[in-house]
């Protein structure tokens, strides 16, 4: 059982005074950011010390582990991060011999990033640790609530992507 904060006697989590005056859209934006930071694998000092990866480096490795080789542009588009920031993270991963650039027959100027043997080994070591940590952090929700939240967040992500595209708002 995971610890619960701000509980009243009914088991419900009390409203946070920090977000109490916010409109729901502002509160959603704030809370999604805070929860993402709390759940970020590379944001846990023990993980950084043990594996030597920043949040952005883990995002690159995690995505490559889920999808296989991708271009840096593909990664930036998928995680909505600035390509230049991810480029620095990818460069460090390449210097550490965790990823390598391979030719891309579809676009000669955008190589595919893929795991080296050392990178695959590190990913295979990290993935179960990441999963356990994610499960512990999500344990405050029932299985059904987790599924609902995934559906709602996915719906919100798709809508936010559509609004940004329509408005011409570029991702930072």
């Amino acid at each position: 059982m995971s610890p619960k904060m701000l509980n009243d006697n009914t088991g419900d989590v009390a409203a946070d005074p920090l977000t109490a005056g916010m409109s729901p859209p502002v509160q959603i934006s704030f809370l999604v950011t805070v929860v993402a930071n709390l759940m970020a694998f590379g944001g846990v000092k023990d993980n950084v010390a043990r594996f030597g990866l920043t949040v952005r480096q883990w995002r690159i490795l995690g995505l490559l582990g889920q999808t296989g080789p991708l271009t840096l542009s593909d990664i930036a588009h998928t995680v909505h991060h600035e390509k230049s920031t991810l480029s620095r993270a990818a460069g460090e991963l390449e210097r550490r011999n965790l990823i390598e650039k391979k030719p891309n027959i579809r676009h000669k100027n955008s190589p595919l990033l893929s795991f080296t043997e050392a990178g695959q080994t590190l990913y295979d070591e990290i993935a179960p640790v990441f999963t356990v940590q994610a499960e512990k952090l999500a344990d405050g929700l029932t299985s059904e609530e987790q599924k609902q939240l995934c559906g709602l967040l996915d719906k919100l992500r798709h809508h936010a992507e559509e609004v940004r595209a329509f408005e011409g708002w570029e991702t930072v």
Side-chain angles (χ1 to χ4, degrees):
M1 191 72 171
S2 65
K4 294 207 177 200
M5 306 301 276
L6 301 173
N7 281 352
D8 60 20
N9 291 335
T10 65
D12 292 333
V13 177
D16 186 335
L18 180 63
T19 59
M22 295 179 183
S23 68
V26 172
Q27 189 175 9
I28 289 167
S29 180
F30 175 79
L31 290 173
V32 165
T33 301
V34 171
V35 171
N37 290 337
L38 286 168
M39 295 189 77
F41 185 78
V44 176
K45 287 184 180 182
D46 290 345
N47 293 340
V48 174
R50 180 175 173 188
F51 301 110
L53 297 173
T54 65
V55 171
R56 286 181 186 92
Q57 291 168 347
W58 169 242
R59 284 193 182 126
I60 292 169
L61 292 182
L63 193 55
L64 292 177
Q66 287 292 311
T67 64
L70 293 169
T71 67
L72 191 58
S73 293
D74 291 336
I75 294 169
H77 177 75
T78 300
V79 299
H80 296 281
H81 265 285
E82 191 174 299
K83 187 177 170 184
S84 63
T85 305
L86 290 173
S87 179
R88 288 188 291 276
E92 182 57 30
L93 292 171
E94 189 175 15
R95 281 187 286 286
R96 290 179 55 193
N97 193 37
L98 298 173
I99 63 171
E100 61 188 347
K101 293 177 182 172
K102 293 191 172 183
N104 181 353
I105 59 172
R106 292 189 176 156
H107 195 286
K108 292 180 182 182
N109 293 329
S110 285
L112 291 168
L113 303 179
S114 63
F115 285 133
T116 61
E117 189 174 320
Q120 183 67 58
T121 299
L122 181 61
Y123 175 79
D124 291 344
E125 182 183 352
I126 292 174
V129 176
F130 171 75
T131 300
V132 167
Q133 287 181 7
E135 288 170 350
K136 284 181 183 178
L137 293 168
D139 192 39
L141 301 175
T142 66
S143 179
E144 185 58 34
E145 288 170 332
Q146 289 176 25
K147 290 175 188 172
Q148 288 173 340
L149 181 58
C150 287
L152 290 170
L153 288 172
D154 198 43
K155 181 178 180 180
L156 184 60
R157 178 180 58 89
H158 285 292
H159 179 72
E161 288 171 343
E162 288 174 359
V163 169
R164 283 176 169 265
F166 180 79
E167 296 291 338
W169 299 338
E170 293 185 34
T171 301
V172 178

